Amino acid sequence: MSDQQIKAMKLYLRVERVFAQLRDAGVGDDDPIPLEVLCRFDQYHYHGTDAVDEGIARLALKPHHRVLEVGSGLGGPARYIAARTGCTVTALELQPDVHEVATELTRRCGLGHLVAHRQGDILEGPVPARHFDALFGWLVFLHIPDRERLYRRCFEALRPGGGMYVEDFFERGAFTAEERETLATGLYSRDLPRLDDLRRDLERAGFGEIDIEDMSVPWTTFVAERARAYRANREHEVALHGEEVFANLDEFFSTVARLFRDGNFGGMRLRARRP
Ligand SMILES: C[S@@+](CC[C@H](N)C(=O)[O-])C[C@H]1O[C@@H](n2cnc3c(N)ncnc32)[C@H](O)[C@@H]1O
């Protein structure tokens, strides 16, 4: 996968906008960054750090655990997990610019001793085998159509007994041709699984204790409110980031809200274990 193609998803354009958000929140460019301030801007999934707390609880993280976050984005969940639990976290991110911003944010939060940022593709990348006690993925699997390889790589990264927690999308109804096109362009997502396929493929990869929960209803509400609030804040957002960034994010947020509202696009969270 090219890291340029994935930029078709407009959330990933101009990711350094987080520094403007921090300045706007009173954190200067050379200041240390308080994590509780950063957490308002660095979580690229739904329900912010509440969702990360859920993952921490479901995998029962302990301070000595080694954690891998696949598709770590700006590093929001990785830093929060490290600060909250004391675990060491490897944050693997595909896009070089996102990886660089994430690394800088971690340094300025003073969490570099717990969070190690790696740039690469989970399908190819620098991930040791049978190493991690816990693996997380928040809204990354949607970008990876080769699910057989993805699940195998995740399985191999875990030590026996290790757990995986994922929040992602699935095909809930039957996508129309237009929805498929919107997913491919606007979300850089091809071929989402149905829930039955997901369970079967995880079993084939060797996972056990698979527990999948449909999150479509609460996520539909969340993304609708996110799109509404963003548009309502137009004046402030344009002043902070300019017209182009506003227009891109407004389009992205409203596209996701529409996909959920129309009912064929679903969200789920899952936990599974390497026996
Ligand atoms: C929606 S963001 C979520 C980021 C983070 N997990 C969070 O919740 O804040 C998904 C991230 O996964 C990354 N990604 C996509 N495909 C990947 C791959 N094959 N290997 C590693 N990272 C990937 C993207 O570049 C993007 O930054």
Side-chain angles (χ1 to χ4, degrees), residues 69-173:
E69 193 200 351
V70 177
S72 46
L74 294 184
R79 280 185 296 272
Y80 184 80
I81 290 167
R84 184 88 194 198
T85 66
C87 293
T88 52
V89 185
T90 300
L92 178 68
E93 169 53 44
L94 178 74
Q95 300 178 69
D97 60 336
V98 181
H99 162 77
E100 272 167 36
V101 171
T103 306
E104 173 64 3
L105 292 171
T106 295
R107 185 189 68 74
R108 286 179 54 196
C109 284
L111 284 167
H113 60 298
L114 290 178
V115 181
H117 290 275
R118 299 274 176 273
Q119 193 258 315
D121 184 337
I122 179 64
L123 298 185
E124 318 281 347
V127 176
R130 298 171 78 92
H131 182 78
F132 295 99
D133 302 283
L135 182 154
F136 292 97
W138 275 279
L139 301 188
V140 54
F141 284 14
L142 73 143
H143 293 310
I144 305 175
D146 188 350
R147 290 195 289 275
E148 189 185 334
R149 181 136 168 233
L150 170 65
Y151 301 154
R152 194 172 67 242
R153 293 279 297 161
C154 291
F155 185 86
E156 285 167 1
L158 286 168
R159 64 159 184 77
M164 175 168 84
Y165 180 86
V166 169
E167 296 194 358
D168 222 286
F169 303 132
F170 68 98
E171 184 171 3
R172 190 177 179 214

Side-chain angles (χ1 to χ4, degrees), residues 31-49:
D31 296 346
I33 306 175
L35 196 64
E36 64 277 12
V37 176
L38 183 54
C39 281
R40 290 172 8 216
F41 314 121
D42 66 355
Q43 309 285 320
Y44 277 5
H45 57 265
Y46 306 148
H47 297 285
T49 54

Side-chain angles (χ1 to χ4, degrees), residues 213-267:
E213 196 178 339
D214 189 334
M215 298 298 288
S216 305
V217 172
W219 287 10
T220 301
T221 307
F222 178 90
V223 296
E225 173 54 20
R226 178 176 70 167
R228 189 207 60 74
Y230 191 71
R231 193 164 288 178
N233 208 21
R234 181 182 192 288
E235 204 175 319
H236 183 75
E237 291 293 325
V238 170
L240 198 56
H241 303 295
E243 284 285 356
E244 192 184 339
V245 169
F246 174 80
N248 281 338
L249 287 177
D250 184 58
E251 184 188 327
F252 174 72
F253 293 148
S254 58
T255 298
V256 174
R258 191 177 63 247
L259 281 166
F260 269 107
R261 193 189 58 222
D262 290 350
N264 292 329
F265 186 64

Side-chain angles (χ1 to χ4, degrees), residues 165-187:
Y165 180 86
V166 169
E167 296 194 358
D168 222 286
F169 303 132
F170 68 98
E171 184 171 3
R172 190 177 179 214
F175 290 135
T176 63
E178 195 187 337
E179 283 172 326
R180 284 193 190 285
E181 180 60 26
T182 302
L183 286 168
T185 51
L187 274 75

